[in-house]
Amino acid sequence: MIEVTGLTKRYGEFTAVRDLSFTVQPGEVMGLVGPNGAGKTTTLRCATGIIPPTLGSVWIGGVDLKEDPVGAKRRLAFMPDEPRLFDHLTVEQHLNFVARLHNVADWQSRAEPILADLEMADKRALLPAELSRGMKQKLVIACGLLHSPSVIFFDEPLTGLDPGGIRRMKETMRRLARDGAAIILSSHLLSLVEEVCSHVLILKAGEKVADGSIADIRARFAVAPEASLEDVFFRATETPAAPPVLPP
Amino acid sequence: MTGAFLYLYVTTVRNSVVQRLQRLRQPKYLFGAIAGAAYFYYFVFGRAFRNYDARPGAAPIPVGGGPDVMAWIEPFAAPVLAVVVLLAWLLGNSRAALQFTEPETAFLFPAPVSRRTLIHYKLLRGQLGILVSAFFMTLLFRRGSASGHALQQAAGWWVVFSTLNLHFIAASFARQQLFELGLNPWRQRLLVGVALLLLAVAGWWWLPAPADSSSFEAIMAYAQHLLGAPPLSWLLLPFRLVVRPYFAADAGAFFLALGPALLVALAHYFWVGRADVAFEEASLELAAKRAKIVADLREGRWGAGRRAPTKPRPEPFRLRGRGWAPLAFLWQNLVALGPFFRLRTWLIACLAMFALTSWLGADRGRADYLVLVVAFSGMLSLAALLGGPLFMRREVQQTLTQLDITKAYPLAGWQIVLGQLLSPILLLTFLEWFFLLSFILAAGATKKKIAFLVMLGAGGIGGIAFIVPPLVGLLLCLPYAGVLYFPAWAATPPNQAGGAGIEVLGQRLIFMLGYLIVLVVALLPAAAAGGLVWFIAQALIGQITAFILTTLTVSVILGAELTGCVWWLGGKLERFDLSTEMPR
């Protein structure tokens, strides 16, 4: 479970996130959406312990991130949008390295099904330079899943994936949620959020605009029951959808 | 079109200057600029334009090379230039590539601009770099020189660099044309190599042997004679024409030499201008490669621009999934370093040094060289100790760029710090041990008769070797602390223009000064305690026991300082808010 209470992050005079509170229960997938500069990345970084919040608390699987950061981080996995890998480690060696960091003794047997599921079983001896962008992204995901985290943060997970990879990624997220993980998915792809997430949190200028199940949010902001999440998003953030620019 | 290029050029220079001036509002750049300017004033400009010893009462004698020295060097300049040119033909790529930046390729290549116009643009653009290089080379080589006017020498450098620049471009065009005719790069190199070999054989056959080779002066006189006489003087004529303006003793000689030199440059210009070679594709690749190098350097990645590896490297040891976490960092770094950086390499080097010193010591005639080994080992040991941690600073700077990954690891701060420090500590320690061993072996082979003193020296050095690991660790903590406490000084923001300049040079000077001060402060407790223990113990229990006690004391204090530093840096790492340093 993820429990964020009164999270505030200031950079000098500028407040990136203001008094943000939300909860993600096991089995739930919460979509974190908002326009550029809304504070999504800052929220993710604070919630994963990468940067300290100015105010507020974050609990990961019942562990206070501030009091016991190591204990909290043992329970979470963070998949950044840009896969940054070690040039000289193979796929398998990346998993070995991460296993040691998380103290996973049986990492090889755990890695087998993960690599198979991500269609990377035959890539274990390859270096990052030999992997496509999508494969690198999959390796990051494999590393994140190796220690069976109960809390998972995805930051734009579909970047660089091919259609097959996108479908499998969505399925993986749904399966992880079914298995009891609490997931936060930050993305600009509202169709992905609508498809995968059970809940949505809309941020604007560092503040929560809406939070709840997709049905609740739709009921609150949409004019018509069949309105898409995109319509709801623009209404919630009061940003008029710009008409497409056509060449003269 | 010239107007557009001029606009691009002028606007770029103006904005760059404005940006640099604006960032002086930040203290780190302002102080850096002051320190950099002071350095240039006192150590570069001040000395460069001072021909004579300016101390009060000193005689007005040239402190560097006068006209006679320049005249002595001149005959050798042409062959050096010839070698540079030959290397361009031997080592150059077979594809014609002009150096454009990525924005230049994006905007100029699809624009309605002819290939020839692009070449002209590139040549003009290159002039800025050439002028700056000429200016700095004049400063560098004029230090203490009493020959010729500074402007004259700068113009001389400009002629050399401009001609070389044109020649490199023309050579790359010619190589591409040869490639299109079916002569691949290796065949081209073979052709040049065979031509050189034939020339060498002809020279060996034709040229007279030296009459006297007993002294350095005699050999130099022979070489000067050869270079000044046919056929070498004919072969080197174009090169001599190019370098002659630089060596001209006065204005008259300069202007006489300038005409022929400019003719050579002009011939190259026509060569480049008339070549119709497709350089766009290779230039695009080159621009992308250069952009990656710049981006990597700004992010502090060592070995920037190197191609990403495609062959896995062997593991130094088996890393189990469970155990001490910092070891994972060491394992990862040793994998990245490759199979050369292993214990067996160190052992082989030690054996090689043992064999070398034994061989040198076995003969009285060779024994003199052992003094060189002793001197070099001592100097390199000190240089590695003081400079090694600074050399690793770029690696430490990566801490900042990777912090959003490492901070997500389920590890305490001290574990991450120790993990990241382990491999540089290990590398520097083994390097230091190698130098110390070389010192002992060479010194031992030199003074066999006074074995006792050697044993004592070896014992002393052995003691130093015992101190090395914590000392190296402590020294490595300093740049690490610099990165964590002064991140803005340690890292150049990735998207900020101008990663170089007088202010950045000044920042580095200030950082270096701070490093030395902290180094002294960190070593002071161990040195004081060690001195005290030695003073008391040698009076009470004898020198050998006192020495052991002193070594132990110093090691323990340094070890305690290192432990404290790692703990303290770990805490700082945990509290470190990289959000102020990273794009949100």
Side-chain angles (χ1 to χ4, degrees), chain B residues 479-498:
Chain B
Y480 205 108
V483 167
L484 286 183
Y485 279 86
F486 304 99
W489 285 70
T492 307
N495 295 321
Q496 200 159 343

Side-chain angles (χ1 to χ4, degrees), chain B residues 192-520:
Chain B
V192 177
V194 168
L196 280 175
L197 195 70
L198 287 176
L199 273 175
V201 170
W204 179 73
W205 185 265
W206 193 359
L207 299 174
D212 175 19
S213 59
S214 59
S215 66
F216 178 73
E217 286 78 12
I219 293 171
M220 287 293 113
Y222 166 71
Q224 275 183 333
H225 170 71
L226 277 189
L227 292 169
L232 280 182
S233 63
W234 299 337
L235 283 172
L236 293 172
L237 181 66
F239 302 100
R240 235 185 10 258
L241 292 178
V242 173
V243 297
R244 196 166 275 169
Y246 175 77
F247 289 98
D250 52 47
F254 171 76
F255 283 113
L256 271 179
L258 191 61
L262 287 179
L263 274 178
V264 176
L266 206 62
H268 274 89
Y269 169 74
F270 281 113
W271 184 9
V272 171
R274 289 190 168 274
D276 188 21
V277 177
F279 56 79
E280 291 85 352
E281 198 184 327
S283 299
L284 279 171
E285 279 178 27
L286 187 65
K289 196 175 162 189
R290 281 174 58 83
K292 186 178 178 330
I293 290 172
V294 171
D296 283 354
L297 283 174
R298 282 182 178 168
E299 287 180 18
R301 275 200 287 274
W302 195 244
R306 262 186 271 161
R307 221 180 263 176
T310 50
K311 270 178 73 179
R313 292 175 172 178
E315 296 174 14
F317 52 86
R318 187 95 191 96
L319 184 73
R320 279 182 293 181
R322 190 179 281 276
W324 195 51
L327 201 66
F329 290 90
L330 176 68
W331 175 85
Q332 181 263 318
N333 279 326
L334 288 177
V335 170
L337 283 168
F340 181 78
F341 292 89
R342 297 289 184 268
L343 191 62
R344 63 171 178 274
T345 313
W346 186 80
L347 288 171
I348 290 169
C350 291
L351 283 174
M353 182 51 75
F354 177 73
L356 176 73
T357 48
S358 304
W359 180 71
L360 290 174
D363 185 273
R364 273 172 187 258
R366 296 192 294 258
D368 288 347
Y369 292 104
L370 284 169
V371 181
L372 280 179
V373 178
V374 171
F376 272 108
S377 302
M379 281 191 298
L380 290 174
S381 167
L382 197 66
L385 196 65
L386 290 175
L390 283 179
F391 186 72
M392 306 252 175
R393 199 173 132 222
R394 272 188 180 281
E395 298 288 315
V396 175
Q397 279 176 7
Q398 282 190 5
T399 308
L400 282 184
T401 55
Q402 292 179 346
L403 213 54
D404 58 338
I405 297 172
T406 48
K407 282 199 80 176
Y409 293 151
L411 303 176
W414 70 266
Q415 288 177 301
I416 296 174
V417 172
L418 186 60
Q420 288 180 328
L421 286 178
L422 271 180
S423 54
I425 289 178
L426 207 66
L427 285 182
L428 276 177
T429 297
F430 274 91
L431 190 67
E432 278 298 318
W433 282 349
F434 172 73
F435 289 138
L436 293 175
L437 186 77
S438 306
F439 189 93
I440 296 169
L441 288 173
T446 317
K447 303 281 182 193
K448 279 183 178 168
K449 287 177 187 170
I450 42 173
F452 175 73
L453 281 178
V454 172
M455 288 284 285
L456 205 66
I461 288 169
I464 293 171
F466 196 60
I467 295 168
V468 162
L471 179 62
V472 163
L474 203 58
L475 293 178
L476 279 163
C477 282
L478 296 179
Y480 205 108
V483 167
L484 286 183
Y485 279 86
F486 304 99
W489 285 70
T492 307
N495 295 321
Q496 200 159 343
I502 197 167
E503 60 275 33
V504 177
L505 173 81
Q507 283 180 3
R508 285 176 190 151
L509 288 171
I510 293 173
F511 192 88
M512 178 77 92
L513 186 70
Y515 171 78
L516 290 174
I517 292 170
V518 176
L519 174 65
V520 170

Side-chain angles (χ1 to χ4, degrees), chain A residues 23-32 173-174 177-178 181-185 192-201 211-218 229:
Chain A
T23 306
V24 185
Q25 298 289 347
E28 285 182 357
V29 183
M30 191 189 85
L32 186 63
M173 283 191 276
R174 287 194 199 101
R178 275 200 305 273
I183 299 174
I184 291 184
L185 162 64
L192 168 73
V193 173
E194 196 165 15
E195 218 176 315
V196 176
C197 298
S198 54
H199 292 69
V200 179
L201 191 153
D211 175 20
S213 70
I214 291 191
D216 290 346
I217 301 272
R218 186 174 276 131
L229 186 62

Side-chain angles (χ1 to χ4, degrees), chain A residues 64-148:
Chain A
D64 187 348
L65 189 64
K66 193 179 176 188
E67 291 301 316
D68 182 9
V70 175
K73 285 173 187 175
R74 281 209 185 98
R75 288 161 173 77
L76 69 82
F78 174 52
M79 325 280 189
D81 56 341
E82 186 61 37
R84 274 181 281 169
L85 303 166
F86 295 106
D87 283 347
H88 293 278
L89 294 195
T90 63
V91 168
E92 191 167 33
Q93 287 171 332
H94 271 91
L95 293 165
N96 192 355
F97 177 70
V98 172
R100 182 63 168 241
L101 298 179
H102 285 272
N103 252 329
V104 183
D106 58 341
W107 67 273
Q108 277 151 320
S109 57
R110 285 185 189 216
E112 289 286 340
I114 296 171
L115 288 176
D117 192 40
L118 293 167
E119 293 185 324
M120 291 193 75
D122 58 338
K123 308 271 189 298
R124 58 181 69 220
L126 298 186
L127 289 165
E130 299 167 285
L131 301 175
S132 65
R133 170 70 170 72
M135 283 291 172
K136 287 179 187 171
Q137 188 74 18
K138 285 181 185 178
L139 175 54
V140 170
I141 291 162
C143 289
L145 299 182
L146 190 69
H147 64 287
S148 309

